[in-house]
Amino acid sequence: MIDSLDASTVQYLQAAALLLVGLYGIIARSHLLRKLMAMNILQVAVIVFFIALSTKFGATVPVVPAAATAGPIDPAAYVNPLPHALMLTAIVVSVSTTGVALALLIRIRRRFGTLNEPALLDRLRE
Amino acid sequence: MNSGFGSPALDAASRLMTPFMLMFGAYVVVHGHDSPGGGFQGGVIIAACLILVRLVRGRAAGWVMPPETAVVLLCTGAGIFAGVGLLGPIFGGHFLDYSALPLTLAPAEVRAAGSLAVEIGVALAVTGVLELIFDVLVEARDDA
Amino acid sequence: MARLAILPLLALGAVLVAAAGGLPRVGDPESPAATHVSPRYIARGYEETGATNLVTGVLADYRAYDTLGETTVICAAGLACWLILGGRSRGVGP
């Protein structure tokens, strides 16, 4: 459990809160477009969490200045580049999946005339 | 969206910004090795430029990229990536092992050249996919 | 019905809060994420990949498989978008 409320705990709790908000939207909202927005919030929660994992105290951005390339490079001086690279791909994937989802929503709306989930289920049962 | 927003002020502003945005996008792509940037970011900037022109001037702009062209761009980008990866096995290395490329450079520079080619492929793919998604979503009519 | 959704979320929230205490502190240079793979990427990244931007080195060289898969995903997503809404419908389907 949490002993004290310091900056790092706050950062984890922020990611957890975003995750819960996203999940709540996906489960409880009945409009499909709102579910999609909630899915994006959930993705942001994951991205925030990973970026929080990449930080190091006393370290700078993972771009080695030209002056420092001659000698050995100290790993403690630069933040972890791996989560940055992974989240870069995750952001682009989230944009393209959002595009696919919007296309599907447009198609559903064309076919059934509504995006409200209960109404959609009624239309499907007919 | 055939008409665009098209006010004179927006038109002038977008005309002013477009060349710089394109150049900045290309800079971000090719300078991804030495400064923050890379294929994804540069591709997004170039796509944002195309979408800006499209939003302001609508279909009247001579810049409209038909979805077919965007698909070609997208597949070209992915193909460049996979092709550069396949050059590795052809020259006796592993898949996506750029150090096997037959270039007369220092070993690190050979790998940098390989990843630059890959970044350009990624930039083309990202530009294509954003442009394609925007175009397809904008053109969709709710004719239910 | 939607009210009931709050119950599993509260349970999950309790689990997440409990787990937050067990994670390494943000910014800890000794955390597992900072001590396993990434020191090698940072220390040898420039001399091996020739990229001073270590993120690019990881993205395009060390983890190129990952990026290739991701490019394939966005390629598939773009094609799926195009096929779902496929421009001028040719009278197939509703």
Side-chain angles (χ1 to χ4, degrees):
Chain A
M1 277 305 284
I2 293 168
D3 304 321
S4 62
L5 201 64
D6 53 4
S8 91
T9 318
V10 167
Q11 191 136 27
Y12 288 134
L13 290 183
Q14 175 201 14
L18 281 171
L19 187 95
L20 290 178
V21 167
L23 267 181
Y24 177 78
I26 287 181
I27 296 174
R29 295 282 117 183
S30 63
H31 196 272
L32 291 184
L33 195 55
R34 294 182 187 202
K35 280 184 196 282
L36 179 60
M37 290 178 184
M39 193 182 87
N40 275 312
I41 294 175
L42 205 148
Q43 286 166 337
V44 169
V46 175
I47 290 166
V48 163
F49 178 68
F50 266 72
I51 296 301
L53 282 183
S54 79
T55 55
K56 281 184 213 168
F57 285 128
T60 179
V61 291
V63 179
V64 184
T69 53
I73 297 168
D74 178 21
Y78 302 98
V79 301
N80 190 349
L82 183 54
H84 290 254
L86 294 180
M87 288 308 106
L88 197 54
T89 61
I91 290 170
V92 178
V93 168
S94 103
V95 168
S96 36
T97 50
T98 306
V100 174
L102 284 173
L104 280 172
L105 290 189
I106 291 175
R107 202 60 198 251
I108 290 171
R109 169 104 172 115
R110 262 190 210 166
R111 176 91 160 74
F112 296 104
T114 177
L115 282 178
N116 202 14
E117 204 180 13
L120 263 179
L121 291 175
D122 285 345
R123 296 290 307 271
L124 282 175
R125 282 197 201 94
E126 280 171 9
Chain B
M1 170 125 50
N2 288 323
S3 57
F5 296 132
S7 82
L10 278 176
D11 195 67
S14 75
R15 277 167 192 267
L16 199 63
M17 282 168 67
T18 304
F20 294 106
M21 282 177 80
L22 278 179
M23 204 165 83
F24 183 59
Y27 168 81
V28 167
V29 174
V30 299
H31 245 248
H33 280 73
D34 298 322
S35 63
F40 293 102
Q41 297 93 323
V44 169
I45 293 172
I46 295 173
C49 172
L50 296 176
I51 290 174
L52 173 75
V53 176
R54 183 74 199 284
L55 277 177
V56 170
R57 304 198 57 201
R59 283 217 158 266
W63 283 56
V64 177
M65 185 187 282
E68 289 80 4
T69 313
V71 167
V72 168
L73 207 59
L74 179 61
C75 296
T76 310
I80 287 176
F81 200 142
V84 172
L86 279 175
L87 285 179
I90 289 174
F91 291 108
H94 297 287
F95 184 55
L96 288 171
D97 178 11
Y98 315 130
S99 59
L101 300 181
L103 299 175
T104 52
L105 294 169
E109 286 174 344
V110 175
R111 284 175 73 163
S115 40
L116 178 63
V118 160
E119 292 277 354
I120 291 173
V122 167
L124 289 181
V126 170
T127 308
V129 77
L130 289 181
E131 176 68 22
L132 180 64
I133 288 175
F134 175 80
D135 196 59
V136 157
L137 289 181
V138 157
E139 292 297 318
R141 283 193 319 271
D142 191 17
D143 46 8
Chain C
M1 196 51 200
R3 299 259 169 78
L4 279 180
I6 206 84
L7 292 177
L9 288 180
L10 282 177
L12 179 64
V15 171
L16 287 176
V17 169
L23 286 168
R25 288 169 51 81
V26 169
D28 182 9
E30 302 300 319
S31 71
T35 52
H36 274 89
V37 201
S38 68
R40 158 72 194 248
Y41 287 162
I42 298 172
R44 311 264 330 258
Y46 174 68
E47 68 180 275
E48 284 184 348
T49 68
T52 53
N53 183 0
L54 299 170
V55 177
T56 301
V58 171
L59 189 81
D61 200 310
Y62 289 120
R63 300 251 163 174
Y65 263 114
D66 198 358
T67 314
L68 176 62
E70 189 269 348
T71 312
T72 316
V73 167
I74 63 168
C75 194
L79 289 176
C81 231
W82 190 46
L83 291 176
I84 288 170
L85 285 177
R88 337 287 165 254
S89 89
R90 296 183 183 85
V92 186

